[in-house]
Amino acid sequence: MGRQTSAISAVQTTIDKARAVGYRAGTHEELDSLATELRDHVAQMLPVAQDRTDRMWHGSREWYVLATRLSSISSEAEQSLATGKLAAHVQVRLLALDCEWLLTRYGADLPGQEPPR
């Protein structure tokens, strides 16, 4: 188990915590803390995703779809947490979905990956 495995595990743990918070549970402070953790994970994975996307042919449909998705994830991660409880819950869940998408697609490329043995 190397750094990459622990990084992936940390992201997955945060995603799981975000999923476990029900709409009636969780204070605004707890949601803000989760949102901050999720944003930190996005900030860690986004450069890896952008680097891989930048290597693609910029005229392809796949490049356009990925570049648009990454831009959207970046914009959403920059938003402060909504003040309303339901809106804050939705925002945390969407951040968790973005983290999960990034982790699924680019988790193996996170810095600190150990070479296969």
Side-chain angles (χ1 to χ4, degrees), residues 2 13 17 30 41-42 61-62 70 72 78 83 88 112-113 115:
T13 298
K17 285 194 299 188
E30 291 170 330
H41 294 312
V42 167
R61 181 185 182 283
E62 184 180 7
L70 295 177
S72 174
E78 292 173 3
T83 55
Q113 178 180 4

Side-chain angles (χ1 to χ4, degrees), residues 83-94:
T83 55
K85 192 167 185 178
L86 180 59
H89 274 280
V90 170
Q91 194 172 356
V92 166
R93 293 222 178 210
L94 291 175

Side-chain angles (χ1 to χ4, degrees), residues 9-19 34 37-38 41 96:
S9 177
V11 174
Q12 190 60 56
T13 298
T14 306
I15 292 168
D16 292 343
K17 285 194 299 188
R19 284 184 170 165
L34 268 175
E37 284 184 61
L38 291 165
H41 294 312

Side-chain angles (χ1 to χ4, degrees), residues 18 20 28-29 67:
H28 197 272
E29 291 77 25

Side-chain angles (χ1 to χ4, degrees), residues 38 51 53 80 87 97:
L38 291 165
D51 181 58
T53 303
S80 58
L97 287 172

Side-chain angles (χ1 to χ4, degrees), residues 11-12 14-15 18-19 35 37-46 49 66 68-79 90-107:
V11 174
Q12 190 60 56
T14 306
I15 292 168
R19 284 184 170 165
E37 284 184 61
L38 291 165
R39 285 186 197 105
D40 289 345
H41 294 312
V42 167
Q44 178 187 11
M45 293 185 286
L46 206 52
L66 287 174
T68 302
R69 177 77 192 262
L70 295 177
S71 176
S72 174
I73 289 171
S74 178
S75 294
E76 289 300 318
E78 292 173 3
Q79 301 299 314
V90 170
Q91 194 172 356
V92 166
R93 293 222 178 210
L94 291 175
L95 281 168
L97 287 172
D98 288 341
C99 272
E100 187 170 37
W101 183 85
L102 286 167
L103 184 63
T104 300
R105 287 191 71 104
Y106 305 104

Side-chain angles (χ1 to χ4, degrees), residues 2-5 7-8 48 52 106-116:
R3 245 191 270 153
Q4 185 222 13
T5 304
I8 290 172
V48 173
R52 286 208 24 216
Y106 305 104
D109 297 331
L110 288 175
Q113 178 180 4
E114 294 180 349

